[in-house]
Amino acid sequence: MATSALITSSSIQSSYLSFSSISKLSFTSKPNHVFLLKKPTSSFPLRFPLDHQSKNFLGFSNFHKQELSFICFNNPKDKSNGNLQTKETGLDWPILKRWDVPWNWQRLSLTFFACGISFVLTGLIETAAVSYFGLPVGELSLDQKAELLFLSQGVATAAVLGVIYGLVYKPQPLSDDFFRYDSKEPFNLQNGWLLWAGVGLVGALAAIALLGASLALFSGEKPERETDALVQLLPLIGSSVVSTTCLVGITGVLAPLLEETVFRGFLMVSLTKWLPTPVSVLISAAVFALAHFTPGEFPQLFVLALGFSYSQTRNLLTPITIHALWNSGVILLLTFLQLQGYDIKELLQAS
C-alpha cells in the first residue's frame, strides 16, 4: 500500500533529505521507492493551506514558521490499492471475472420479457399475413417452404435484436466487452475467438458423449422426439440444394446469432452483476435449454454451457461459432446420410 509521510522541521533548510536521514525512519520491510517533492516556493506554492484548527490538531502549533517537504513512499509491487477492491478476487482467470453491468434488475426483466414477446408476436403476425394474403402454404414446394422459413427466422432475429439495441445498447454507453463481435486475432492464446471456439466445441462434444453414455446406463426408454424442431425439419433435409442452404442459414447463422446474443450476451452477462460468473453461465444455460420447449433435449442443451467459452474471450463470435458449427454440422451430416439412403428419422429416434 502506498504510504506518505509528512516531515516538518524548522532546522531543515535544503529542499531534499539525504538517504541517511531517510534510513532512520521506521517503515515496513517491503521495498519502497522514494519520491521527494520540494518545499513550497513561489513557483511551486502549497495548494492546501491549513487553518488554525488543523495546525493544532496535527500538533504543529508553530506551523507558520516551518517549511514543508513531502516524501512519498510507494511499493510498486503492492497491488492492494488501499481500500479499493474490485469484484475479482483469488485467481485472475477470465472465466471468473464479472462484467460491469450498468442496468438494474428491472431493465433486465423488461428487456428479456420484451425479447420473448417480440419473438412470439412476429410469428403471429407472419401467420396472420399468410392467411390475409391467401398464401397456400400446403401447396408450396419444399424449396418454397424452406425459403419461407428462412424469411420468418430472419424477421424474428431482426425484431429481437432490435429490442436489445433499443432497450439496452442505445440508452447508455457500454464498455467494449458488451455485445462484442470482433473477428480480429482469432488464434490469440488468451482470447482468440476461433481458437476458444474450437476448444469449446471439443468440450461440448465430450460433454454430450459423456451425458449420452450416462443416460444410456441409468435411464430406461428414451422419449419420443416428435416435438423436436429437428424432426419437424426432416422433410426439408436433403431434398435439394436450396432447402439445405436455407436450413444451414437458419440453424447455422440466424439462430446462433439471435440465441447467443440474448442468452449469453445479455442474460448471462446481466446475471454477473449479482452472481459469480460460473453460476451465471449455468443459469443462462438452463434458461436457454428451457426456451427450446423440448424437455427430452434439456440435458443435451444444458451441458453445452457455451457461456464458459464466452467468458474466456468476451467475444460473442466464440459461442456463435460453436453454436453454428454444431447446428450446421448436424444438418450437413443428416443430409449426407439421407443422400446415402439412410432413414434419418429412425437414426434420430435411436440417438
Side-chain angles (χ1 to χ4, degrees):
M1 181 190 304
T3 60
S4 64
L6 179 60
I7 311 298
T8 64
S9 174
S10 58
S11 61
I12 299 178
Q13 299 298 325
S14 60
S15 62
Y16 64 92
L17 293 177
S18 65
F19 284 98
S20 60
S21 63
I22 295 175
S23 63
K24 297 178 183 179
L25 300 176
S26 175
F27 295 100
T28 61
S29 59
K30 295 182 180 180
N32 294 289
H33 287 252
V34 180
F35 300 92
L36 180 63
L37 300 180
K38 291 184 177 182
K39 62 182 180 180
T41 62
S42 58
S43 60
F44 187 69
L46 181 64
R47 297 295 185 182
F48 304 96
L50 301 177
D51 56 20
H52 181 71
Q53 293 180 351
S54 299
K55 299 172 188 176
N56 292 334
F57 176 77
L58 294 173
F60 300 138
S61 58
N62 296 322
F63 191 84
H64 61 282
K65 297 180 180 179
Q66 298 171 342
E67 297 176 349
L68 295 178
S69 294
F70 292 89
I71 304 178
C72 295
F73 297 85
N74 177 56
N75 178 13
K77 296 183 179 180
D78 193 343
K79 302 299 183 181
S80 60
N81 294 324
N83 294 323
L84 298 177
Q85 299 292 332
T86 60
K87 292 182 180 179
E88 296 79 29
T89 59
L91 296 176
D92 189 23
W93 291 354
I95 61 172
L96 298 180
K97 293 182 178 180
R98 301 186 188 184
W99 276 258
D100 187 15
V101 180
W103 52 82
N104 53 26
W105 68 268
Q106 291 93 336
R107 185 172 293 274
L108 164 61
S109 303
L110 172 64
T111 304
F112 197 71
F113 180 75
C115 287
I117 291 298
S118 63
F119 186 82
V120 173
L121 284 179
T122 52
L124 294 176
I125 293 173
E126 291 164 2
T127 302
V130 168
S131 176
Y132 178 79
F133 291 105
L135 186 63
V137 178
E139 300 176 5
L140 296 178
S141 65
L142 291 178
D143 287 352
Q144 290 173 329
K145 290 181 179 179
E147 292 169 349
L148 187 60
L149 282 176
F150 182 82
L151 178 61
S152 175
Q153 182 66 41
V155 172
T157 300
V160 175
L161 294 184
V163 169
I164 295 286
Y165 178 81
L167 295 181
V168 176
Y169 186 83
K170 188 177 180 180
Q172 65 253 305
L174 300 175
S175 59
D176 293 338
D177 56 353
F178 284 89
F179 304 110
R180 178 168 165 249
Y181 309 87
D182 189 358
S183 61
K184 298 177 181 178
E185 299 183 350
F187 297 104
N188 183 280
L189 187 60
Q190 181 178 359
N191 56 10
W193 63 272
L194 189 55
L195 173 64
W196 284 97
V199 172
L201 182 60
V202 171
L205 290 171
I208 291 293
L210 182 60
L211 177 65
S214 301
L215 292 177
L217 182 62
F218 297 106
S219 65
E221 295 183 359
K222 297 178 181 178
E224 292 292 326
R225 299 183 58 162
E226 294 299 332
T227 58
D228 194 328
L230 186 58
V231 173
Q232 297 176 4
L233 294 176
L234 287 181
L236 300 177
I237 295 177
S239 61
S240 70
V241 175
V242 173
S243 296
T244 301
T245 302
C246 289
L247 288 181
V248 171
I250 293 170
T251 62
V253 179
L254 296 178
L257 174 62
L258 169 62
E259 294 175 0
E260 296 309 318
T261 300
V262 173
F263 292 101
R264 248 65 70 170
F266 174 66
L267 177 61
M268 188 199 87
V269 166
S270 298
L271 291 176
T272 63
K273 183 172 184 175
W274 302 278
L275 300 171
T277 300
V279 177
S280 302
V281 170
L282 296 179
I283 292 177
S284 63
V287 177
F288 168 76
L290 290 172
H292 284 74
F293 297 103
T294 54
E297 299 301 308
F298 178 87
Q300 291 88 336
L301 293 170
F302 175 75
V303 298
L304 289 176
L306 303 183
F308 286 114
S309 297
Y310 176 44
S311 299
Q312 175 67 35
T313 64
R314 306 213 164 197
N315 189 343
L316 278 170
L317 288 184
T318 302
I320 287 175
T321 301
I322 300 173
H323 199 154
L325 291 175
W326 183 276
N327 285 358
S328 58
V330 170
I331 295 296
L332 293 176
L333 176 60
L334 292 178
T335 299
F336 174 77
L337 294 175
Q338 175 83 355
L339 295 177
Q340 297 300 313
Y342 290 92
D343 186 344
I344 57 177
K345 183 175 181 179
E346 182 179 348
L347 291 174
L348 288 175
Q349 293 290 355
S351 63

